[in-house]
Amino acid sequence: MTRRQLLVTATLSTLFTRSSTAATTVSVAEFSPAGQVLGVKPLPKLVRSDEEWRRLLSPLAYEVTRHAGTERAFTGPGWDNHADGLYRCICCGTALFDSHTKFDSGTGWPSFYRPIAANNVRETRDTSLFEARTAVSCSLCDAHLGHVFSDGPRPTGLRYCMNAAALKFVPRA
């Protein structure tokens, strides 16, 4: 195949994947500014082009959420925030974590012992660093958020170690 044919094939493949993804719906729990669950709603997957994500996000948030990057420890915006509120997806605003489940893990990244609603996050197997880990992403827009580990506190024993750049903190109303 020529380079042009490869490019056309890759472009068509991307368009097909996007249109298939766009038709997919996910059930997302919605929350009020006070943190009260408003109900679970089926929503179409949020799909944007790479160019749109670049325009909407900071370079760090783009690298973390769209390319499964990791910010350096102790440097993410608000990594040590202890205020009362909700942590929402920087890309789409989906509620992901409640500050009541946040704890200081000593890692330099925001850590939570559970998501605000299980269906608002998606967990997948990640073997990118030569070991099996569980990656965590936003169910609505597929933004990479971080990883979950089994060394967290009670009551779950889990540590959702998230990139601060992937989260937007909203104070509780």
Short mmCIF file of all heavy atoms in Angstrom, two decimals, residues 40-93:
data_model
loop_
_atom_site.label_atom_id
_atom_site.label_comp_id
_atom_site.label_asym_id
_atom_site.label_seq_id
_atom_site.Cartn_x
_atom_site.Cartn_y
_atom_site.Cartn_z
N VAL A 40 -30.18 8.27 37.49
CA VAL A 40 -29.30 7.71 36.47
C VAL A 40 -29.95 7.96 35.12
O VAL A 40 -31.15 7.72 34.94
CB VAL A 40 -29.06 6.21 36.70
CG1 VAL A 40 -28.21 5.62 35.60
CG2 VAL A 40 -28.40 5.99 38.06
N LYS A 41 -29.15 8.47 34.19
CA LYS A 41 -29.68 8.87 32.89
C LYS A 41 -28.87 8.22 31.77
O LYS A 41 -27.64 8.27 31.81
CB LYS A 41 -29.57 10.39 32.81
CG LYS A 41 -30.25 11.04 31.66
CD LYS A 41 -30.14 12.54 31.82
CE LYS A 41 -31.01 13.26 30.84
NZ LYS A 41 -30.91 14.71 30.99
N PRO A 42 -29.54 7.65 30.77
CA PRO A 42 -28.79 7.15 29.61
C PRO A 42 -28.39 8.33 28.73
O PRO A 42 -29.22 9.17 28.38
CB PRO A 42 -29.79 6.22 28.91
CG PRO A 42 -31.13 6.68 29.36
CD PRO A 42 -30.96 7.33 30.71
N LEU A 43 -27.11 8.42 28.41
CA LEU A 43 -26.60 9.52 27.58
C LEU A 43 -25.75 8.95 26.46
O LEU A 43 -25.07 7.94 26.64
CB LEU A 43 -25.74 10.47 28.43
CG LEU A 43 -26.43 11.20 29.57
CD1 LEU A 43 -25.41 11.90 30.45
CD2 LEU A 43 -27.43 12.21 29.02
N PRO A 44 -25.74 9.63 25.31
CA PRO A 44 -24.83 9.18 24.24
C PRO A 44 -23.39 9.47 24.64
O PRO A 44 -23.10 10.48 25.29
CB PRO A 44 -25.25 10.01 23.03
CG PRO A 44 -25.95 11.20 23.59
CD PRO A 44 -26.53 10.78 24.92
N LYS A 45 -22.48 8.56 24.28
CA LYS A 45 -21.05 8.78 24.53
C LYS A 45 -20.66 10.13 23.96
O LYS A 45 -21.07 10.50 22.86
CB LYS A 45 -20.20 7.72 23.84
CG LYS A 45 -20.03 6.46 24.62
CD LYS A 45 -18.92 6.61 25.61
CE LYS A 45 -18.30 5.26 25.89
NZ LYS A 45 -17.38 5.33 26.97
N LEU A 46 -19.84 10.88 24.68
CA LEU A 46 -19.33 12.15 24.19
C LEU A 46 -18.08 11.89 23.37
O LEU A 46 -17.09 11.38 23.89
CB LEU A 46 -19.01 13.09 25.35
CG LEU A 46 -18.38 14.43 24.98
CD1 LEU A 46 -19.30 15.23 24.06
CD2 LEU A 46 -18.03 15.22 26.21
N VAL A 47 -18.14 12.21 22.09
CA VAL A 47 -17.02 11.98 21.18
C VAL A 47 -16.66 13.31 20.53
O VAL A 47 -17.53 14.00 20.00
CB VAL A 47 -17.39 10.93 20.10
CG1 VAL A 47 -16.24 10.72 19.14
CG2 VAL A 47 -17.79 9.62 20.75
N ARG A 48 -15.40 13.66 20.60
CA ARG A 48 -14.89 14.88 19.95
C ARG A 48 -13.64 14.51 19.16
O ARG A 48 -12.98 13.52 19.46
CB ARG A 48 -14.51 15.93 20.98
CG ARG A 48 -15.66 16.44 21.82
CD ARG A 48 -15.19 17.60 22.68
NE ARG A 48 -16.14 17.98 23.68
CZ ARG A 48 -17.17 18.79 23.49
NH1 ARG A 48 -17.39 19.29 22.29
NH2 ARG A 48 -17.99 19.09 24.47
N SER A 49 -13.32 15.34 18.21
CA SER A 49 -12.10 15.12 17.44
C SER A 49 -10.89 15.50 18.30
O SER A 49 -11.01 16.24 19.29
CB SER A 49 -12.11 15.96 16.16
OG SER A 49 -11.96 17.33 16.48
N ASP A 50 -9.75 15.02 17.90
CA ASP A 50 -8.51 15.35 18.59
C ASP A 50 -8.30 16.87 18.60
O ASP A 50 -7.89 17.43 19.61
CB ASP A 50 -7.34 14.64 17.89
CG ASP A 50 -6.10 14.64 18.74
OD1 ASP A 50 -6.17 14.17 19.90
OD2 ASP A 50 -5.06 15.11 18.25
N GLU A 51 -8.61 17.52 17.50
CA GLU A 51 -8.45 18.98 17.42
C GLU A 51 -9.36 19.69 18.41
O GLU A 51 -8.97 20.68 19.03
CB GLU A 51 -8.74 19.47 15.99
CG GLU A 51 -7.76 18.98 14.95
CD GLU A 51 -7.99 17.51 14.53
OE1 GLU A 51 -9.15 17.03 14.58
OE2 GLU A 51 -7.02 16.84 14.19
N GLU A 52 -10.61 19.20 18.56
CA GLU A 52 -11.52 19.81 19.52
C GLU A 52 -10.99 19.66 20.94
O GLU A 52 -11.03 20.62 21.72
CB GLU A 52 -12.91 19.17 19.42
CG GLU A 52 -13.66 19.54 18.16
CD GLU A 52 -14.96 18.77 18.05
OE1 GLU A 52 -14.91 17.51 17.94
OE2 GLU A 52 -16.02 19.42 18.10
N TRP A 53 -10.52 18.45 21.30
CA TRP A 53 -9.98 18.25 22.65
C TRP A 53 -8.79 19.17 22.89
O TRP A 53 -8.67 19.76 23.97
CB TRP A 53 -9.57 16.80 22.88
CG TRP A 53 -10.71 15.83 23.04
CD1 TRP A 53 -10.94 14.70 22.30
CD2 TRP A 53 -11.78 15.90 23.99
NE1 TRP A 53 -12.08 14.09 22.75
CE2 TRP A 53 -12.61 14.79 23.79
CE3 TRP A 53 -12.10 16.80 25.00
CZ2 TRP A 53 -13.75 14.54 24.55
CZ3 TRP A 53 -13.24 16.57 25.77
CH2 TRP A 53 -14.04 15.45 25.54
N ARG A 54 -7.93 19.33 21.90
CA ARG A 54 -6.77 20.24 22.06
C ARG A 54 -7.21 21.67 22.33
O ARG A 54 -6.59 22.37 23.12
CB ARG A 54 -5.89 20.21 20.81
CG ARG A 54 -4.98 19.03 20.73
CD ARG A 54 -4.03 19.20 19.52
NE ARG A 54 -3.28 18.02 19.28
CZ ARG A 54 -2.15 17.70 19.92
NH1 ARG A 54 -1.67 18.49 20.84
NH2 ARG A 54 -1.51 16.60 19.64
N ARG A 55 -8.27 22.11 21.67
CA ARG A 55 -8.77 23.47 21.87
C ARG A 55 -9.40 23.65 23.25
O ARG A 55 -9.31 24.72 23.85
CB ARG A 55 -9.82 23.83 20.80
CG ARG A 55 -9.26 24.36 19.53
CD ARG A 55 -10.30 25.08 18.67
NE ARG A 55 -11.59 24.43 18.61
CZ ARG A 55 -11.95 23.51 17.72
NH1 ARG A 55 -11.10 23.11 16.82
NH2 ARG A 55 -13.15 22.99 17.74
N LEU A 56 -10.06 22.61 23.74
CA LEU A 56 -10.83 22.72 24.98
C LEU A 56 -10.02 22.51 26.25
O LEU A 56 -10.42 22.97 27.32
CB LEU A 56 -11.97 21.70 24.96
CG LEU A 56 -13.05 21.95 23.91
CD1 LEU A 56 -13.99 20.74 23.83
CD2 LEU A 56 -13.82 23.22 24.23
N LEU A 57 -8.90 21.81 26.14
CA LEU A 57 -8.15 21.42 27.33
C LEU A 57 -6.78 22.09 27.40
O LEU A 57 -6.21 22.45 26.36
CB LEU A 57 -7.94 19.90 27.33
CG LEU A 57 -9.21 19.04 27.33
CD1 LEU A 57 -8.86 17.58 27.06
CD2 LEU A 57 -9.96 19.20 28.64
N SER A 58 -6.25 22.21 28.59
CA SER A 58 -4.86 22.67 28.75
C SER A 58 -3.95 21.59 28.18
O SER A 58 -4.36 20.42 28.06
CB SER A 58 -4.53 22.89 30.22
OG SER A 58 -4.42 21.64 30.88
N PRO A 59 -2.71 21.92 27.83
CA PRO A 59 -1.80 20.89 27.31
C PRO A 59 -1.65 19.70 28.28
O PRO A 59 -1.62 18.55 27.85
CB PRO A 59 -0.49 21.63 27.11
CG PRO A 59 -0.91 23.04 26.83
CD PRO A 59 -2.11 23.26 27.72
N LEU A 60 -1.56 19.97 29.57
CA LEU A 60 -1.42 18.89 30.54
C LEU A 60 -2.68 18.03 30.60
O LEU A 60 -2.61 16.80 30.56
CB LEU A 60 -1.09 19.44 31.94
CG LEU A 60 -0.97 18.40 33.06
CD1 LEU A 60 0.13 17.39 32.76
CD2 LEU A 60 -0.74 19.09 34.39
N ALA A 61 -3.85 18.67 30.69
CA ALA A 61 -5.11 17.92 30.75
C ALA A 61 -5.31 17.10 29.47
O ALA A 61 -5.77 15.96 29.53
CB ALA A 61 -6.28 18.86 30.97
N TYR A 62 -4.93 17.66 28.33
CA TYR A 62 -5.04 16.94 27.07
C TYR A 62 -4.15 15.69 27.09
O TYR A 62 -4.60 14.59 26.75
CB TYR A 62 -4.65 17.86 25.90
CG TYR A 62 -4.54 17.13 24.59
CD1 TYR A 62 -5.68 16.81 23.86
CD2 TYR A 62 -3.30 16.74 24.10
CE1 TYR A 62 -5.58 16.11 22.67
CE2 TYR A 62 -3.20 16.05 22.91
CZ TYR A 62 -4.34 15.74 22.19
OH TYR A 62 -4.23 15.03 21.02
N GLU A 63 -2.90 15.84 27.50
CA GLU A 63 -1.97 14.71 27.51
C GLU A 63 -2.44 13.62 28.47
O GLU A 63 -2.39 12.43 28.15
CB GLU A 63 -0.56 15.18 27.88
CG GLU A 63 0.48 14.09 27.85
CD GLU A 63 0.63 13.40 26.51
OE1 GLU A 63 0.42 14.03 25.46
OE2 GLU A 63 0.95 12.19 26.51
N VAL A 64 -2.92 14.01 29.64
CA VAL A 64 -3.37 13.04 30.64
C VAL A 64 -4.64 12.34 30.18
O VAL A 64 -4.72 11.11 30.17
CB VAL A 64 -3.59 13.73 32.00
CG1 VAL A 64 -4.37 12.84 32.96
CG2 VAL A 64 -2.25 14.12 32.62
N THR A 65 -5.66 13.11 29.80
CA THR A 65 -6.98 12.53 29.53
C THR A 65 -7.10 11.86 28.17
O THR A 65 -7.80 10.87 28.03
CB THR A 65 -8.10 13.58 29.66
OG1 THR A 65 -7.89 14.62 28.69
CG2 THR A 65 -8.15 14.16 31.06
N ARG A 66 -6.45 12.40 27.16
CA ARG A 66 -6.64 11.87 25.82
C ARG A 66 -5.54 10.89 25.40
O ARG A 66 -5.70 10.13 24.46
CB ARG A 66 -6.72 13.00 24.79
CG ARG A 66 -7.75 14.10 25.05
CD ARG A 66 -9.05 13.76 25.74
NE ARG A 66 -9.88 12.72 25.19
CZ ARG A 66 -10.97 12.27 25.75
NH1 ARG A 66 -11.40 12.76 26.90
NH2 ARG A 66 -11.66 11.31 25.20
N HIS A 67 -4.38 10.91 26.11
CA HIS A 67 -3.26 10.02 25.76
C HIS A 67 -2.76 9.20 26.96
O HIS A 67 -1.64 8.72 26.94
CB HIS A 67 -2.12 10.83 25.14
CG HIS A 67 -2.48 11.39 23.81
ND1 HIS A 67 -2.56 10.62 22.67
CD2 HIS A 67 -2.84 12.64 23.44
CE1 HIS A 67 -2.94 11.38 21.65
NE2 HIS A 67 -3.12 12.61 22.09
N ALA A 68 -3.59 9.09 27.98
CA ALA A 68 -3.28 8.28 29.17
C ALA A 68 -1.94 8.67 29.79
O ALA A 68 -1.20 7.83 30.26
CB ALA A 68 -3.31 6.79 28.83
N GLY A 69 -1.67 9.98 29.79
CA GLY A 69 -0.45 10.47 30.42
C GLY A 69 -0.59 10.48 31.93
O GLY A 69 -1.66 10.21 32.49
N THR A 70 0.50 10.82 32.60
CA THR A 70 0.50 10.96 34.05
C THR A 70 1.27 12.22 34.41
O THR A 70 2.39 12.42 33.94
CB THR A 70 1.18 9.74 34.72
OG1 THR A 70 0.49 8.56 34.33
CG2 THR A 70 1.17 9.86 36.23
N GLU A 71 0.64 13.07 35.20
CA GLU A 71 1.33 14.27 35.67
C GLU A 71 2.36 13.85 36.72
O GLU A 71 2.24 12.79 37.33
CB GLU A 71 0.32 15.26 36.27
CG GLU A 71 -0.31 14.73 37.54
CD GLU A 71 -1.65 15.34 37.88
OE1 GLU A 71 -2.24 16.04 37.05
OE2 GLU A 71 -2.11 15.09 39.00
N ARG A 72 3.36 14.68 36.93
CA ARG A 72 4.34 14.40 37.97
C ARG A 72 3.68 14.51 39.34
O ARG A 72 2.81 15.36 39.55
CB ARG A 72 5.51 15.37 37.89
CG ARG A 72 6.43 15.10 36.71
CD ARG A 72 7.59 16.05 36.68
NE ARG A 72 7.09 17.40 36.99
CZ ARG A 72 7.83 18.41 37.37
NH1 ARG A 72 9.12 18.28 37.49
NH2 ARG A 72 7.31 19.57 37.63
N ALA A 73 4.08 13.67 40.24
CA ALA A 73 3.54 13.69 41.60
C ALA A 73 3.75 15.05 42.25
O ALA A 73 4.75 15.72 42.01
CB ALA A 73 4.21 12.60 42.45
N PHE A 74 2.80 15.46 43.05
CA PHE A 74 2.84 16.71 43.83
C PHE A 74 2.82 17.96 42.95
O PHE A 74 3.20 19.03 43.41
CB PHE A 74 4.06 16.74 44.76
CG PHE A 74 4.13 15.56 45.69
CD1 PHE A 74 4.98 14.50 45.42
CD2 PHE A 74 3.35 15.50 46.83
CE1 PHE A 74 5.06 13.41 46.27
CE2 PHE A 74 3.41 14.41 47.69
CZ PHE A 74 4.27 13.35 47.41
N THR A 75 2.42 17.87 41.68
CA THR A 75 2.42 19.04 40.81
C THR A 75 1.07 19.35 40.19
O THR A 75 0.88 20.44 39.68
CB THR A 75 3.42 18.85 39.64
OG1 THR A 75 2.98 17.79 38.81
CG2 THR A 75 4.83 18.60 40.15
N GLY A 76 0.13 18.41 40.20
CA GLY A 76 -1.16 18.62 39.56
C GLY A 76 -1.95 19.71 40.25
O GLY A 76 -1.81 19.94 41.45
N PRO A 77 -2.81 20.40 39.50
CA PRO A 77 -3.61 21.49 40.08
C PRO A 77 -4.55 20.97 41.16
O PRO A 77 -5.40 20.13 40.90
CB PRO A 77 -4.38 22.03 38.88
CG PRO A 77 -4.37 20.92 37.87
CD PRO A 77 -3.13 20.14 38.10
N GLY A 78 -4.36 21.44 42.38
CA GLY A 78 -5.22 21.06 43.49
C GLY A 78 -5.02 19.65 44.01
O GLY A 78 -5.90 19.11 44.67
N TRP A 79 -3.87 19.06 43.79
CA TRP A 79 -3.63 17.68 44.24
C TRP A 79 -3.82 17.54 45.75
O TRP A 79 -4.22 16.50 46.24
CB TRP A 79 -2.24 17.18 43.84
CG TRP A 79 -1.12 17.84 44.59
CD1 TRP A 79 -0.46 18.97 44.21
CD2 TRP A 79 -0.57 17.45 45.85
NE1 TRP A 79 0.48 19.31 45.15
CE2 TRP A 79 0.43 18.39 46.18
CE3 TRP A 79 -0.81 16.41 46.73
CZ2 TRP A 79 1.18 18.32 47.35
CZ3 TRP A 79 -0.07 16.33 47.90
CH2 TRP A 79 0.91 17.27 48.19
N ASP A 80 -3.57 18.63 46.49
CA ASP A 80 -3.67 18.58 47.95
C ASP A 80 -4.89 19.33 48.49
O ASP A 80 -4.93 19.72 49.65
CB ASP A 80 -2.39 19.12 48.59
CG ASP A 80 -2.12 20.57 48.21
OD1 ASP A 80 -2.76 21.08 47.27
OD2 ASP A 80 -1.27 21.18 48.86
N ASN A 81 -5.89 19.52 47.65
CA ASN A 81 -7.12 20.20 48.04
C ASN A 81 -7.87 19.39 49.11
O ASN A 81 -8.01 18.18 48.97
CB ASN A 81 -8.01 20.38 46.80
CG ASN A 81 -9.32 21.06 47.11
OD1 ASN A 81 -9.44 21.81 48.07
ND2 ASN A 81 -10.31 20.79 46.29
N HIS A 82 -8.32 20.06 50.16
CA HIS A 82 -9.05 19.39 51.22
C HIS A 82 -10.44 19.99 51.44
O HIS A 82 -11.09 19.71 52.45
CB HIS A 82 -8.26 19.44 52.53
CG HIS A 82 -6.94 18.76 52.43
ND1 HIS A 82 -6.80 17.39 52.33
CD2 HIS A 82 -5.68 19.26 52.37
CE1 HIS A 82 -5.52 17.07 52.22
NE2 HIS A 82 -4.82 18.19 52.25
N ALA A 83 -10.90 20.79 50.48
CA ALA A 83 -12.21 21.44 50.59
C ALA A 83 -13.34 20.44 50.34
O ALA A 83 -13.12 19.36 49.77
CB ALA A 83 -12.30 22.60 49.61
N ASP A 84 -14.53 20.81 50.75
CA ASP A 84 -15.72 19.97 50.59
C ASP A 84 -16.34 20.20 49.22
O ASP A 84 -16.61 21.34 48.84
CB ASP A 84 -16.72 20.32 51.69
CG ASP A 84 -17.94 19.41 51.69
OD1 ASP A 84 -17.83 18.24 51.27
OD2 ASP A 84 -19.02 19.88 52.11
N GLY A 85 -16.53 19.14 48.45
CA GLY A 85 -17.15 19.28 47.15
C GLY A 85 -17.06 18.03 46.31
O GLY A 85 -16.75 16.95 46.81
N LEU A 86 -17.31 18.20 45.02
CA LEU A 86 -17.29 17.10 44.07
C LEU A 86 -16.14 17.28 43.09
O LEU A 86 -15.78 18.40 42.74
CB LEU A 86 -18.60 17.03 43.29
CG LEU A 86 -19.88 16.85 44.10
CD1 LEU A 86 -21.07 16.77 43.15
CD2 LEU A 86 -19.82 15.64 44.99
N TYR A 87 -15.59 16.17 42.66
CA TYR A 87 -14.57 16.16 41.62
C TYR A 87 -15.24 15.66 40.34
O TYR A 87 -15.76 14.56 40.31
CB TYR A 87 -13.40 15.26 42.02
CG TYR A 87 -12.59 15.85 43.13
CD1 TYR A 87 -12.97 15.68 44.46
CD2 TYR A 87 -11.45 16.60 42.87
CE1 TYR A 87 -12.23 16.23 45.49
CE2 TYR A 87 -10.70 17.16 43.89
CZ TYR A 87 -11.11 16.97 45.20
OH TYR A 87 -10.36 17.52 46.22
N ARG A 88 -15.23 16.51 39.33
CA ARG A 88 -15.88 16.21 38.05
C ARG A 88 -14.83 16.04 36.96
O ARG A 88 -13.71 16.52 37.08
CB ARG A 88 -16.86 17.32 37.69
CG ARG A 88 -18.03 17.40 38.67
CD ARG A 88 -19.05 18.46 38.27
NE ARG A 88 -20.22 18.44 39.14
CZ ARG A 88 -21.30 17.70 38.93
NH1 ARG A 88 -21.37 16.94 37.85
NH2 ARG A 88 -22.31 17.73 39.77
N CYS A 89 -15.23 15.37 35.90
CA CYS A 89 -14.34 15.16 34.75
C CYS A 89 -14.02 16.50 34.10
O CYS A 89 -14.93 17.29 33.83
CB CYS A 89 -15.02 14.23 33.75
SG CYS A 89 -14.05 13.94 32.24
N ILE A 90 -12.75 16.77 33.88
CA ILE A 90 -12.32 18.02 33.25
C ILE A 90 -12.82 18.13 31.81
O ILE A 90 -13.01 19.21 31.29
CB ILE A 90 -10.78 18.18 33.32
CG1 ILE A 90 -10.35 19.61 32.99
CG2 ILE A 90 -10.09 17.20 32.37
CD1 ILE A 90 -10.61 20.59 34.09
N CYS A 91 -13.10 16.99 31.19
CA CYS A 91 -13.51 16.97 29.79
C CYS A 91 -15.02 17.14 29.59
O CYS A 91 -15.44 17.82 28.66
CB CYS A 91 -13.09 15.66 29.13
SG CYS A 91 -11.31 15.42 29.03
N CYS A 92 -15.83 16.53 30.46
CA CYS A 92 -17.27 16.54 30.21
C CYS A 92 -18.12 16.95 31.41
O CYS A 92 -19.33 17.12 31.28
CB CYS A 92 -17.73 15.18 29.71
SG CYS A 92 -17.63 13.85 30.95
N GLY A 93 -17.53 17.08 32.59
CA GLY A 93 -18.27 17.51 33.76
C GLY A 93 -18.98 16.41 34.54
O GLY A 93 -19.66 16.68 35.52
#
